[in-house]
Amino acid sequence: MAVDGHSSCGKSTLAKDVAKHFCYKYIDTGAMYRAVTLYVIENNLYDGKKINEEALKKDLDEGKIKIDFRYNPELKKPETYLNEKNVEKKIRGIEVSNLVSPVAVIPFVRRELVDLQREMGKEGGIVMDGRDIGTNVFPDADLKIFLTADAEVRAQRRYDELKAKGEDVNFEEIFKNVKERDYIDSHRETNPLRQAEDAILINNSNISIKEQSEIVIELAEKILNKSK
Ligand code: DC
């Protein structure tokens, strides 16, 4: 099953919920782009202006960037590993968040990660979330969801989340950032964010997390029953 959609609209919450319900594996493809970005930062492949694409390509080709997910039984969730190190916390930080978009537009990075995603999903029984899963990674997925919410609603959720963490935030700035990310994600040359023709659109501006999971689980159950 593929879950694509805009930034900050709860894709991973939905994907995790549905994976748990069916005992499927959950793969967060955004975390993979974030892990490559962390590698770039930690190996000085970014000088503050430009990413050293030549060196990055060499390291990818030589297999020096290994990404995998391992289940943490205490937290009951999968965590991201980069070269055998748990990087789950680091990849969510501001430094990685600020550089991940330019890393995710590099065509050879996308090629490499898409190959890895296809390998991870080849046995089925998987829920994968991202931007290009239904259109490019698994165009034959049994169920495709395209999740969105109004930009203002997404900005408000992000604002509330950061405020709850005690961060000093400005709503207008976050709103602007949400709109900018939408633009970059949907206008890049390689595999831009777009709704697959056979994807089901869900706008969750006015529905709860529980309601959206119930809708998707019901859809998935119908498909599973049909294939029995
Ligand atoms: O979902 P996220 O915010 O963790 O994604 C991080 C970045 O990676 C975001 O800029 C979009 C990009 N991304 C992508 O281009 N393709 C994917 N399949 C997943 C994420």
Side-chain angles (χ1 to χ4, degrees), residues 29-30 33-34 100-101 104 110 130-133 181 185 188:
T29 62
Y33 290 94
R34 287 173 181 270
V100 64
S101 279
R110 299 203 71 82
R131 304 292 189 289
D132 60 339
I133 311 304
R181 284 181 65 175
D185 281 351
R188 66 165 174 246

Side-chain angles (χ1 to χ4, degrees), residues 68-162:
D68 63 325
F69 295 101
R70 299 182 195 174
Y71 189 72
N72 179 330
E74 252 169 63
L75 299 175
K76 295 199 172 76
K77 61 177 192 120
E79 293 181 317
T80 316
Y81 280 70
L82 170 64
N83 294 333
E84 309 291 323
K85 266 200 329 223
N86 184 334
V87 293
E88 187 58 37
K89 244 207 198 112
K90 272 193 182 165
I91 59 166
R92 310 289 166 191
I94 190 81
E95 227 189 325
V96 168
S97 298
N98 284 341
L99 192 63
V100 64
S101 279
V103 171
V105 301
I106 302 173
F108 66 79
V109 170
R110 299 203 71 82
R111 263 197 311 273
E112 185 77 22
L113 293 188
V114 167
D115 281 351
L116 189 57
Q117 288 152 14
R118 287 186 180 141
E119 184 63 32
M120 286 173 166
K122 72 173 188 237
E123 316 260 312
I126 195 157
V127 183
M128 204 172 263
D129 84 30
R131 304 292 189 289
D132 60 339
I133 311 304
T135 50
N136 176 49
V137 183
F138 288 112
D140 297 328
D142 293 330
L143 177 60
K144 299 179 188 177
I145 302 293
F146 191 87
L147 196 63
T148 191
D150 303 343
E152 202 161 355
V153 172
R154 286 183 281 135
Q156 186 65 48
R157 287 178 188 160
R158 184 111 190 88
Y159 174 84
D160 294 343
E161 210 177 284
L162 293 170

Side-chain angles (χ1 to χ4, degrees), residues 172-216:
E172 284 309 320
E173 228 169 80
I174 293 179
F175 189 30
K176 191 169 156 250
N177 179 267
V178 164
K179 286 189 286 191
E180 267 168 16
R181 284 181 65 175
D182 285 356
Y183 187 86
I184 296 176
D185 281 351
S186 20
H187 288 81
R188 66 165 174 246
E189 248 171 61
T190 317
N191 316 135
L193 169 68
R194 66 177 174 82
Q195 185 183 340
E197 268 169 31
D198 51 350
I200 294 166
L201 174 70
I202 298 179
N203 182 322
N204 67 15
S205 300
N206 296 307
I207 56 174
S208 70
I209 289 175
K210 189 162 171 273
E211 280 170 317
Q212 78 172 7
S213 293
E214 284 168 359
I215 294 170
V216 175

